[in-house]
Amino acid sequence: MWDKTRLFSLKRDGCTEIVVHGEIVVHDGNRVIFQTRDSLGQYPMRSLLKPFQFLATGIHADSVTDLRYVPCLGSVSASLAQVEQLKKWYGEAVHSKFLSKLKFIPNYPSDEESRVYFKNKKEVPSHYFHMCFSKHLAILEACEKNGWDLESYNEINHPYHKRLIEILARLLDLNLTEPKTVVDGCKLPSPVLSLGEMAKLYQRLAQAKPATDLKIVQQMMLNNPMWIGGPDRVDTLLMQKNLSLIAKEGADGLLGLSILPNSKYLNGLGIVVKTWAGYHPKLAALALAPLLRELHLNPVEDYSPDHEITYHYQPFKKEIKKVFDISPELSEKIAVWPGDVGFRRNVAMDTLKGNHMTLSSFETTVHVGAHTDAINHFEKTTQGIESHELEPYCGEAQVIHLKKTRGTWVEKKDLTGKNILSRRVLIRTDSFPDPNQFNQDFVCMSKEAIEYLGEQGVVLIGIDTPSIDSFASKDFPAHHATVKAGMNILEGIVLNGVDEGIYSFSAIPLRIQGADASPVRAVLTEMVN
């Protein structure tokens, strides 16, 4: 549901101004131990891939104090000091050798001070200023050492990328022979992985074993936070505030963390957040603040003091959602419309009577219990229940309480005072209290009420009575009004004990050819956020 994607809100004087959506995943090396959504999204890994892209070059730094390769592991801001150092490390010989092979487009530094400085000096965009400059040089150096083609180093079938995929597959314990990839902003292939897989990779970085290339990468990042990002960059700030943490900003809302092993998490943790607001790393860091505090780490919290912040998730807390079964139990006791076919189950075989299986059939009206009407129930048409679209029967639904005198109608005026918030509306009248006892004076819907709901964009109307029209009706004005409004009908639901509000809803009809209705199992799930 949409609300499960909300990470936090910023309010000004109680009025919501900003809502940040996305998802967070925590992996302990064996499994995902926390996630803010029920399912895991898949995204291009983009710049979160850099530590592993360097690993795939096969270049072995002489020691963790060799800084020449550290920028390959980060997305360097190209501050004035960084640019000066880069030019010292990558001298003219190296620069001229690979310059013509670089696939990315030269640009200006992402560091504001540096960008203004070089623009004022009338300098043109340079490869040195690009966040991925060092990484590309390392890949080209690896190509030269291994005898690989330099011109095609950015193509997915290049030996370098095959090696990268092999490394990712080994770290993830997965078969990644042909992973889906996209072309990154720097023109390199970027695999599309689930957020859980990205978090597992960062857990592997946290747990890197001694005397391995991955351990060297880990130590290079830990020891040089300024070269992973730069001044005022979120990943650099997080590492400066937490000595047992590696942070790496990614493109378009990604932020990855490696939490080193500790007494509670012996294998360390991998954490990845994806905010759905593009590249706003401070929002990604802000989204992680409650989680980092829970881990006794120091967050980076940068937002206006005029705002108050509300988080919509609780770290490591399993949400308890109440589920309401709003369908009456079907048995021979269930009341059906007078004169219609009652429910009867016929047992052909029974394990309790010595048979090897239980086998049964049933006979009943299709308008039994909680059910949805097809158009051919009241219109001259061949459109049976199998022709109905399923989308109206699943999604968010709003429960509305209306206390009406028995035998009366829900009028338009009863609804105009309500704020219609959902495309599916379920009316609780409490006028048909016992599904096993048919009373004819239930509350129904007026034609005008149906028309009003249609004007509000409602696609399904549900009611806790046997019909949206009165018992005595023969012309079914409310039913006919639903056709013009493009609305589906759900009748016979049980809303006892269900409060007003928005719920996750499902009531899927059976695909019965030509049927004038179908029983449903109608369910509401509380939306915790």
Side-chain angles (χ1 to χ4, degrees):
M1 300 306 301
W2 66 269
D3 77 306
K4 293 286 290 182
T5 71
R6 290 192 302 167
L7 296 176
F8 67 90
S9 304
L10 293 173
K11 297 182 179 181
R12 185 184 299 272
D13 296 331
C15 179
T16 300
E17 283 196 321
I18 299 171
V19 180
V20 175
H21 293 257
E23 55 181 309
I24 299 170
V25 177
V26 182
H27 206 294
D28 70 354
N30 296 312
R31 61 186 179 88
V32 170
I33 61 171
F34 176 71
Q35 61 193 82
T36 54
R37 295 180 66 208
D38 292 333
S39 59
L40 299 178
Q42 291 188 314
Y43 310 96
M45 197 168 177
R46 305 292 299 274
S47 295
L48 292 194
L49 195 61
K50 285 190 176 180
F52 310 98
Q53 288 173 316
F54 179 71
L55 201 62
T57 64
I59 296 172
H60 299 274
D62 294 334
S63 72
V64 294
T65 59
D66 184 350
L67 298 183
R68 187 165 63 97
Y69 293 114
V70 175
C72 305
L73 307 172
S75 299
V76 179
S77 297
S79 66
L80 292 171
Q82 287 174 331
V83 171
E84 182 181 359
Q85 187 61 60
L86 285 169
K87 290 183 176 180
K88 290 179 180 177
W89 281 334
Y90 301 103
E92 286 303 317
V94 173
H95 187 266
S96 59
K97 184 191 303 184
F98 296 130
L99 182 60
S100 64
K101 310 297 183 184
L102 294 173
K103 300 300 182 182
F104 60 84
I105 299 172
N107 61 5
Y108 285 107
S110 64
D111 179 81
E112 178 68 19
E113 179 187 7
S114 183
R115 182 169 62 253
V116 171
Y117 173 81
F118 287 111
K119 283 187 174 182
N120 287 340
K121 286 188 66 178
K122 307 298 183 183
E123 291 207 20
V124 297
S126 167
H127 289 98
Y128 277 115
F129 301 152
H130 199 285
M131 285 185 170
C132 300
F133 169 69
S134 301
K135 176 182 72 175
H136 280 252
L137 286 188
I139 295 172
L140 287 168
E141 185 178 334
C143 289
E144 185 178 63
K145 287 184 177 180
N146 287 280
W148 298 335
D149 181 57
L150 275 68
E151 293 292 342
S152 61
Y153 78 93
N154 64 321
E155 296 179 8
I156 187 61
N157 293 321
H158 192 276
Y160 165 76
H161 293 290
K162 290 183 178 180
R163 178 188 283 181
L164 172 62
I165 297 303
E166 289 171 0
I167 288 173
L168 296 179
R170 185 173 70 250
L171 291 172
L172 291 171
D173 302 315
L174 289 177
N175 181 3
L176 290 177
T177 51
E178 294 184 3
K180 180 179 179 180
T181 61
V182 301
V183 178
D184 203 347
C186 69
K187 309 306 179 184
L188 292 178
S190 179
V192 177
L193 300 177
S194 76
L195 220 61
E197 290 164 343
M198 296 185 204
K200 186 174 182 178
L201 287 172
Y202 272 74
Q203 181 278 329
R204 294 293 193 249
L205 180 59
Q207 195 191 9
K209 296 179 180 179
T212 63
D213 289 346
L214 189 59
K215 187 67 174 182
I216 293 174
V217 169
Q218 179 205 79
Q219 291 301 302
M220 291 170 73
M221 296 182 79
L222 282 171
N223 294 339
N224 302 281
M226 189 59 73
W227 279 107
I228 304 306
D232 200 39
R233 287 276 296 280
V234 159
D235 40 16
T236 295
L237 293 173
L238 280 167
M239 295 175 71
Q240 289 173 335
K241 297 179 73 170
N242 301 277
L243 300 181
S244 60
L245 176 153
I246 291 172
K248 177 69 187 74
E249 289 180 16
D252 293 328
L254 285 168
L255 177 61
L257 305 182
S258 296
I259 311 300
L260 299 192
N262 54 58
S263 59
K264 185 172 183 180
Y265 299 104
L266 300 179
N267 297 322
L269 295 175
I271 302 172
V272 177
V273 56
K274 166 71 174 179
T275 57
W276 299 346
Y279 182 67
H280 295 286
K282 290 184 178 180
L283 294 182
L286 196 54
L288 288 178
L291 184 59
L292 291 180
R293 281 194 289 268
E294 185 73 17
L295 294 170
H296 306 292
L297 295 168
N298 300 310
V300 171
E301 299 175 279
D302 187 355
Y303 62 98
S304 169
D306 295 335
H307 279 134
E308 54 192 73
I309 189 165
T310 300
Y311 286 96
H312 303 294
Y313 74 94
Q314 291 181 292
F316 302 110
K317 299 289 193 306
K318 185 176 181 180
E319 294 180 333
I320 301 174
K321 299 180 291 185
K322 192 171 183 178
V323 178
F324 297 91
D325 187 346
I326 59 172
S327 307
E329 183 177 79
L330 298 188
S331 73
E332 294 186 6
K333 297 179 181 179
I334 189 77
V336 300
W337 200 274
D340 211 340
V341 179
F343 182 90
R344 181 178 179 181
R345 177 170 171 257
N346 303 303
V347 180
M349 302 173 70
D350 193 337
T351 56
L352 296 179
K353 294 182 178 180
N355 299 116
H356 70 287
M357 69 170 69
T358 297
L359 194 64
S360 62
S361 61
F362 64 85
E363 179 184 19
T364 185
T365 172
V366 287
H367 297 265
V368 67
H371 66 276
T372 180
D373 288 348
I375 297 176
N376 65 355
H377 175 50
F378 50 89
E379 296 271 358
K380 291 182 179 181
T381 178
T382 59
Q383 288 181 279
I385 196 65
E386 81 284 359
S387 68
H388 283 224
E389 296 291 335
L390 295 182
E391 191 271 340
Y393 295 99
C394 54
E396 291 174 22
Q398 180 179 4
V399 174
I400 294 176
H401 292 188
L402 293 174
K403 295 299 181 182
K404 300 285 293 183
T405 304
R406 282 196 182 190
T408 63
W409 288 258
V410 173
E411 304 287 354
K412 175 181 176 179
K413 63 182 180 181
D414 298 317
L415 297 170
T416 53
K418 300 285 185 177
N419 191 7
I420 306 301
L421 301 172
S422 173
R423 298 169 64 238
R424 302 162 192 86
V425 172
L426 309 180
I427 305 294
R428 177 180 168 180
T429 69
D430 294 331
S431 65
F432 194 81
D434 185 357
N436 296 331
Q437 183 67 45
F438 197 96
N439 60 275
Q440 300 180 5
D441 59 347
F442 53 81
V443 173
C444 58
M445 301 293 296
S446 70
K447 172 177 175 286
E448 292 73 21
I450 294 294
E451 291 172 342
Y452 173 74
L453 290 174
E455 292 168 1
Q456 310 309 306
V458 172
V459 296
L460 180 138
I461 176 64
I463 195 166
D464 61 347
T465 69
S467 176
I468 61 171
D469 275 300
S470 70
F471 178 79
S473 177
K474 300 300 181 185
D475 53 356
F476 306 134
H479 278 78
H480 291 298
T482 63
V483 178
K484 185 176 180 181
M487 198 180 302
N488 293 266
I489 302 167
L490 180 63
E491 299 167 332
I493 55 179
V494 178
L495 294 174
N496 298 342
V498 181
D499 293 332
E500 285 194 312
I502 305 294
Y503 296 83
S504 175
F505 163 78
S506 176
I508 306 297
L510 299 175
R511 195 174 182 180
I512 310 172
Q513 184 179 14
D516 49 288
S518 171
V520 300
R521 185 68 177 268
V523 176
L524 293 175
T525 305
E526 197 173 45
M527 294 170 62
V528 174
N529 288 331

